[in-house]
Amino acid sequence: PKLFDLSVVLPDLLYERVIEVDERVIVEHERAEMDAAWGETVTGITKEKVRVMRKPDLHVVRRELQEALKEGITSVAVLFVHAYTFPEHEKLVGDVAKDLGFEQISLSSVVMPMVKAVSRGFTACADAYLTPKITTYLTTFRSGFDQGIHDGSVKLWFMQSDAGLTSVDSFSGHKAIISGPAGGVVGYARTTWDQYDGKAVIGFDMGGTSTDVSRYDG
Protein backbone atom coordinates (compact mmCIF):
# COMPACT_ATOMS: atom_id res chain seq x y z
CA PRO A 1 0.00 0.00 0.00
CA LYS A 2 2.99 2.36 0.50
CA LEU A 3 3.94 2.83 -3.13
CA PHE A 4 7.00 5.07 -2.53
CA ASP A 5 8.34 3.37 0.60
CA LEU A 6 12.04 2.64 0.05
CA SER A 7 12.11 0.12 2.88
CA VAL A 8 9.82 -2.72 1.85
CA VAL A 9 9.35 -5.43 4.45
CA LEU A 10 8.38 -8.69 2.79
CA PRO A 11 6.07 -11.12 4.60
CA ASP A 12 7.61 -14.19 6.21
CA LEU A 13 7.79 -17.41 4.24
CA LEU A 14 5.23 -20.10 4.99
CA TYR A 15 7.94 -22.67 5.62
CA GLU A 16 10.57 -22.58 8.35
CA ARG A 17 13.02 -25.12 7.02
CA VAL A 18 14.01 -26.77 3.73
CA ILE A 19 15.36 -30.31 3.55
CA GLU A 20 17.06 -31.26 0.28
CA VAL A 21 16.72 -34.91 -0.72
CA ASP A 22 19.34 -36.54 -2.95
CA GLU A 23 16.88 -37.98 -5.47
CA ARG A 24 16.84 -37.97 -9.24
CA VAL A 25 14.12 -38.88 -11.73
CA ILE A 26 14.06 -37.78 -15.36
CA VAL A 27 11.41 -38.05 -18.05
CA GLU A 28 12.65 -39.78 -21.18
CA HIS A 29 12.34 -38.14 -24.59
CA GLU A 30 12.36 -39.90 -27.93
CA ARG A 31 15.25 -37.87 -29.35
CA ALA A 32 17.37 -38.05 -26.20
CA GLU A 33 19.92 -40.82 -25.77
CA MET A 34 19.67 -42.60 -22.44
CA ASP A 35 22.42 -44.77 -21.00
CA ALA A 36 21.08 -48.05 -19.65
CA ALA A 37 23.30 -47.65 -16.61
CA TRP A 38 21.37 -44.56 -15.54
CA GLY A 39 18.69 -46.63 -13.88
CA GLU A 40 15.48 -48.52 -14.51
CA THR A 41 12.74 -47.22 -16.78
CA VAL A 42 9.15 -47.22 -15.56
CA THR A 43 5.86 -45.89 -16.90
CA GLY A 44 4.43 -42.93 -15.03
CA ILE A 45 0.82 -42.07 -14.31
CA THR A 46 0.74 -39.88 -17.42
CA LYS A 47 2.06 -42.81 -19.54
CA GLU A 48 5.42 -41.05 -19.90
CA LYS A 49 8.57 -43.12 -19.66
CA VAL A 50 10.45 -42.21 -16.51
CA ARG A 51 14.06 -43.07 -15.73
CA VAL A 52 14.70 -43.58 -11.99
CA MET A 53 18.33 -42.56 -11.63
CA ARG A 54 18.56 -42.23 -7.85
CA LYS A 55 16.15 -43.22 -5.09
CA PRO A 56 15.97 -41.19 -1.89
CA ASP A 57 18.05 -42.45 1.02
CA LEU A 58 15.29 -42.92 3.59
CA HIS A 59 17.75 -43.23 6.47
CA VAL A 60 19.07 -39.75 5.71
CA VAL A 61 15.52 -38.46 5.21
CA ARG A 62 14.46 -39.90 8.58
CA ARG A 63 17.39 -38.23 10.35
CA GLU A 64 16.64 -34.85 8.79
CA LEU A 65 12.93 -35.09 9.59
CA GLN A 66 13.66 -36.11 13.17
CA GLU A 67 15.73 -32.95 13.61
CA ALA A 68 12.87 -30.84 12.23
CA LEU A 69 10.43 -32.58 14.57
CA LYS A 70 12.68 -31.80 17.55
CA GLU A 71 12.56 -28.13 16.57
CA GLY A 72 8.78 -28.19 16.93
CA ILE A 73 7.89 -28.46 13.25
CA THR A 74 4.84 -30.73 12.92
CA SER A 75 3.74 -30.08 9.33
CA VAL A 76 5.68 -31.08 6.23
CA ALA A 77 5.22 -30.47 2.50
CA VAL A 78 6.96 -32.85 0.11
CA LEU A 79 7.90 -31.88 -3.46
CA PHE A 80 9.83 -33.79 -6.10
CA VAL A 81 10.10 -32.35 -9.60
CA HIS A 82 8.51 -35.18 -11.58
CA ALA A 83 6.14 -36.43 -8.88
CA TYR A 84 3.18 -35.44 -11.08
CA THR A 85 3.82 -38.61 -13.09
CA PHE A 86 6.02 -40.61 -10.68
CA PRO A 87 4.76 -40.03 -7.11
CA GLU A 88 6.40 -43.08 -5.53
CA HIS A 89 9.35 -41.20 -4.04
CA GLU A 90 7.08 -38.60 -2.44
CA LYS A 91 5.02 -41.42 -0.96
CA LEU A 92 8.14 -43.00 0.53
CA VAL A 93 9.11 -39.75 2.24
CA GLY A 94 5.52 -39.24 3.35
CA ASP A 95 5.50 -42.69 4.96
CA VAL A 96 8.65 -41.82 6.90
CA ALA A 97 7.11 -38.56 8.09
CA LYS A 98 3.94 -40.36 9.14
CA ASP A 99 5.94 -42.98 11.04
CA LEU A 100 7.79 -40.21 12.90
CA GLY A 101 4.52 -38.61 13.98
CA PHE A 102 4.14 -35.48 11.83
CA GLU A 103 0.62 -34.13 12.24
CA GLN A 104 0.22 -32.85 8.68
CA ILE A 105 1.87 -34.32 5.57
CA SER A 106 1.09 -32.67 2.24
CA LEU A 107 2.43 -34.46 -0.84
CA SER A 108 2.49 -32.27 -3.94
CA SER A 109 1.48 -35.26 -6.08
CA VAL A 110 -1.71 -35.59 -4.01
CA VAL A 111 -2.49 -31.94 -3.34
CA MET A 112 -1.99 -30.69 -6.90
CA PRO A 113 -0.80 -33.31 -9.44
CA MET A 114 0.27 -30.93 -12.19
CA VAL A 115 3.46 -30.62 -14.27
CA LYS A 116 4.69 -27.26 -13.02
CA ALA A 117 6.80 -28.01 -9.95
CA VAL A 118 6.96 -24.45 -8.59
CA SER A 119 3.19 -23.96 -8.49
CA ARG A 120 2.77 -27.48 -7.15
CA GLY A 121 5.30 -26.80 -4.40
CA PHE A 122 3.69 -23.50 -3.39
CA THR A 123 0.31 -25.21 -3.16
CA ALA A 124 1.70 -28.09 -1.10
CA CYS A 125 3.30 -25.58 1.32
CA ALA A 126 0.04 -23.67 1.64
CA ASP A 127 -1.80 -26.91 2.30
CA ALA A 128 0.69 -28.01 4.97
CA TYR A 129 0.40 -24.61 6.65
CA LEU A 130 -3.37 -24.17 6.50
CA THR A 131 -4.80 -27.67 6.91
CA PRO A 132 -4.01 -27.93 10.67
CA LYS A 133 -5.83 -24.61 11.15
CA ILE A 134 -8.77 -25.79 9.07
CA THR A 135 -8.88 -29.08 11.00
CA THR A 136 -9.01 -27.23 14.32
CA TYR A 137 -11.81 -25.02 13.02
CA LEU A 138 -13.80 -27.98 11.70
CA THR A 139 -13.44 -29.84 15.00
CA THR A 140 -14.77 -26.85 16.91
CA PHE A 141 -17.53 -26.27 14.35
CA ARG A 142 -18.76 -29.87 14.44
CA SER A 143 -18.69 -30.04 18.23
CA GLY A 144 -21.74 -27.76 18.36
CA PHE A 145 -23.97 -30.24 16.54
CA ASP A 146 -25.68 -33.44 17.65
CA GLN A 147 -24.53 -36.96 16.79
CA GLY A 148 -25.95 -36.88 13.28
CA ILE A 149 -23.17 -34.63 12.05
CA HIS A 150 -20.57 -37.09 13.36
CA ASP A 151 -21.97 -40.45 12.26
CA GLY A 152 -22.61 -39.28 8.69
CA SER A 153 -26.39 -39.37 8.77
CA VAL A 154 -26.36 -35.60 8.27
CA LYS A 155 -24.33 -34.43 5.27
CA LEU A 156 -21.94 -31.53 5.81
CA TRP A 157 -20.42 -29.92 2.72
CA PHE A 158 -17.98 -27.06 2.29
CA MET A 159 -17.39 -24.72 -0.63
CA GLN A 160 -13.97 -25.06 -2.27
CA SER A 161 -11.84 -22.52 -4.11
CA ASP A 162 -13.06 -23.94 -7.43
CA ALA A 163 -16.70 -23.30 -6.36
CA GLY A 164 -17.35 -27.02 -6.05
CA LEU A 165 -18.58 -28.70 -2.88
CA THR A 166 -16.67 -31.30 -0.89
CA SER A 167 -17.40 -33.35 2.19
CA VAL A 168 -16.08 -32.18 5.54
CA ASP A 169 -13.60 -35.09 5.67
CA SER A 170 -12.08 -34.07 2.30
CA PHE A 171 -11.83 -30.34 3.03
CA SER A 172 -8.24 -29.12 3.39
CA GLY A 173 -6.19 -25.95 3.49
CA HIS A 174 -5.44 -25.35 -0.18
CA LYS A 175 -9.08 -25.94 -1.09
CA ALA A 176 -10.22 -23.16 1.24
CA ILE A 177 -7.99 -20.25 0.22
CA ILE A 178 -10.53 -18.47 -2.01
CA SER A 179 -13.62 -20.49 -1.17
CA GLY A 180 -15.33 -17.31 0.07
CA PRO A 181 -15.08 -15.37 -3.20
CA ALA A 182 -15.96 -18.55 -5.12
CA GLY A 183 -19.11 -18.90 -3.06
CA GLY A 184 -19.92 -15.27 -3.79
CA VAL A 185 -19.75 -15.86 -7.53
CA VAL A 186 -22.07 -18.86 -7.24
CA GLY A 187 -24.47 -16.81 -5.12
CA TYR A 188 -24.86 -13.81 -7.39
CA ALA A 189 -24.84 -15.97 -10.51
CA ARG A 190 -27.90 -17.79 -9.23
CA THR A 191 -29.73 -14.74 -7.87
CA THR A 192 -28.93 -11.79 -10.15
CA TRP A 193 -28.15 -13.17 -13.61
CA ASP A 194 -31.15 -13.35 -15.91
CA GLN A 195 -30.92 -16.12 -18.49
CA TYR A 196 -33.53 -14.42 -20.69
CA ASP A 197 -31.78 -11.09 -21.24
CA GLY A 198 -28.30 -12.65 -20.97
CA LYS A 199 -26.66 -9.48 -19.64
CA ALA A 200 -23.36 -10.04 -17.85
CA VAL A 201 -23.22 -9.46 -14.10
CA ILE A 202 -20.27 -7.97 -12.26
CA GLY A 203 -19.47 -9.16 -8.75
CA PHE A 204 -17.65 -6.97 -6.23
CA ASP A 205 -16.68 -8.85 -3.07
CA MET A 206 -14.97 -6.64 -0.50
CA GLY A 207 -13.77 -8.19 2.72
CA GLY A 208 -11.38 -7.36 5.51
CA THR A 209 -8.19 -8.36 3.69
CA SER A 210 -8.96 -8.28 -0.02
CA THR A 211 -11.38 -7.22 -2.74
CA ASP A 212 -12.35 -9.65 -5.49
CA VAL A 213 -13.99 -8.62 -8.76
CA SER A 214 -15.63 -11.19 -11.02
CA ARG A 215 -17.88 -11.38 -14.07
CA TYR A 216 -20.59 -13.90 -14.93
CA ASP A 217 -22.39 -14.15 -18.25
CA GLY A 218 -23.84 -17.62 -18.14
Side-chain angles (χ1 to χ4, degrees):
K2 297 180 180 179
L3 184 61
F4 301 103
D5 193 342
L6 298 180
S7 179
V8 178
V9 180
L10 298 176
D12 293 335
L13 297 173
L14 289 180
Y15 52 87
E16 297 181 30
R17 180 171 177 175
V18 176
I19 297 174
E20 295 186 14
V21 179
D22 188 14
E23 176 264 5
R24 181 65 172 167
V25 170
I26 60 176
V27 177
E28 293 188 356
H29 296 280
E30 294 180 359
R31 287 184 284 181
E33 295 184 3
M34 297 286 180
D35 193 317
W38 286 359
E40 65 173 325
T41 299
V42 298
T43 302
I45 296 174
T46 58
K47 305 304 181 182
E48 294 174 283
K49 295 295 182 180
V50 177
R51 184 67 64 95
V52 182
M53 298 181 65
R54 189 160 50 252
K55 298 180 180 180
D57 188 333
L58 297 183
H59 295 290
V60 175
V61 171
R62 177 176 290 271
R63 184 175 66 248
E64 294 277 2
L65 288 176
Q66 282 177 327
E67 293 180 4
L69 201 57
K70 290 178 181 178
E71 295 175 4
I73 298 174
T74 57
S75 295
V76 59
V78 184
L79 167 71
F80 290 139
V81 174
H82 296 300
Y84 71 94
T85 188
F86 185 76
E88 279 73 10
H89 288 176
E90 283 196 353
K91 292 177 181 178
L92 291 174
V93 173
D95 290 341
V96 173
K98 182 178 180 180
D99 183 60
L100 290 173
F102 278 86
E103 297 176 6
Q104 174 61 36
I105 304 165
S106 298
L107 307 182
S108 76
S109 55
V110 174
V111 172
M112 192 179 187
M114 64 179 293
V115 176
K116 296 181 178 180
V118 175
S119 299
R120 182 158 36 92
F122 283 156
T123 304
C125 283
D127 187 75
Y129 179 83
L130 292 173
T131 296
K133 306 294 184 182
I134 294 293
T135 302
T136 300
Y137 166 75
L138 292 178
T139 300
T140 303
F141 179 79
R142 297 170 75 180
S143 66
F145 293 86
D146 58 23
Q147 188 59 31
I149 206 76
H150 302 284
D151 61 21
S153 59
V154 176
K155 301 298 182 182
L156 178 60
W157 300 86
F158 280 84
M159 177 71 70
Q160 302 179 103
S161 298
D162 62 0
L165 295 176
T166 187
S167 66
V168 62
D169 294 325
S170 300
F171 197 49
S172 60
H174 79 287
K175 297 177 181 178
I177 295 177
I178 56 172
S179 58
V185 173
V186 173
Y188 81 73
R190 293 179 64 89
T191 57
T192 63
W193 181 71
D194 189 340
Q195 61 177 326
Y196 297 106
D197 66 29
K199 291 183 179 179
V201 182
I202 302 296
F204 186 84
D205 187 347
M206 184 172 65
T209 58
S210 65
T211 299
D212 300 281
V213 180
S214 55
R215 180 181 184 273
Y216 182 81
D217 63 359

